[in-house]
Amino acid sequence: MTNHSELGEFLRVRRAALQPEDVGLLNYGIRRVPGLRREELAMLAGVSSTYYTRLEQGQSANASEAVIDAIARALNLNTDERAHLFNLARPVASKRRTSARADKARPGTLRLIQSMPNTPAIVLGRRSEVLAWNRLGHRLVAGHLDFDAPSSPATRPNMTRLLFLDPHTRELYTRWREEATRAVSSLRLVAGRSNDDAELASLVGELTMNSEEFAKLWARHPVENCMSGLKYLHHPEVGDLELHFEVLTPPDESGHRILMYAADPGLPAAEALQLLASAQPVADLEADRPLGSRPL
């Protein structure tokens, strides 16, 4: 992934999504492709058609802030999309790590999530990899996986990979397409900020090759900084859940996020979470059985 090619793709996708009437233009002539013509978008942004074409083709770098802002207005971009456009058009040189040590959650973050046994919590890395989770967070979203899996980079789950490639995770979300769009939108933001991230490029390549649904969503170039909202789950142990989620971002440059879930008090989802927190995991129940009574 390079910022110039990503910039061109983003501009083409967003231009194609706009109709002349959306921006106050008359629709005239037969359009061979959907959306605005390049010259129409250039006119709305107040730049030359030739210059805008070079931007879409990745042949023009270091566009001024005024030009980027004008194009963002012409495309009717929201706040997240505008920030993404700036990241693509004027990339900031990334700070390469001086150490080859694998990423891991900070000790203070681990203490925080473990101190909330009744709140599902997951620590995510910048590429949606799971760096840690508390017991309830693990049981809520990935009880079929080993609790200690995040402790090693070799076995560390990735929430986006699970969402698209793991059938258990797919069955967990009753509104799977909504969840998938949200995941791709967040990953697009990260890609815009980290154009030289080889691990991220590898993840996107893997998902594109192995999931047609991911490939189609990725090509649509959705962008959203998903910090809060609702998730709808059907848990294999406690049934349907409607949960609020909040994403907390530590004030450092790690790119880590703490994803936490909560239910409205007094509703069935709150009782279900309480039941999930108090119930003994199936794996532990099997371990507690006498050897002669365990299923072969």
Side-chain angles (χ1 to χ4, degrees), residues 182-225:
R182 181 184 285 153
V184 173
S185 299
S186 297
L187 203 62
R188 269 293 186 186
L189 274 181
V190 176
R193 299 172 186 144
S194 311
N195 64 303
D196 59 350
D197 190 327
E199 291 183 50
L200 178 59
S202 177
L203 173 65
V204 171
E206 175 195 352
L207 292 173
T208 301
M209 291 295 293
N210 292 288
S211 171
E212 183 179 354
E213 290 161 313
F214 177 88
K216 289 180 178 179
L217 279 172
W218 187 256
R220 284 170 44 196
H221 222 303
V223 176
E224 184 181 359
N225 190 15

Side-chain angles (χ1 to χ4, degrees), residues 92 170-171 224 228 248 276 282 291:
V92 177
R170 188 179 185 115
E171 291 174 358
E224 184 181 359
S228 63
L248 306 182
L276 196 62
V282 173
L291 285 176

Side-chain angles (χ1 to χ4, degrees), residues 162-173:
L162 289 174
L163 187 62
F164 284 93
L165 302 183
D166 179 64
H168 295 286
T169 303
R170 188 179 185 115
E171 291 174 358
L172 179 65
Y173 295 97

Side-chain angles (χ1 to χ4, degrees), residues 178-179 182 226-231 243-247 259-262:
E178 178 181 306
E179 191 67 22
R182 181 184 285 153
C226 305
M227 303 300 293
S228 63
L230 285 172
K231 290 182 185 282
L243 299 175
H244 298 274
F245 76 90
E246 291 288 334
V247 178
L259 171 61
M260 298 190 297
Y261 300 82

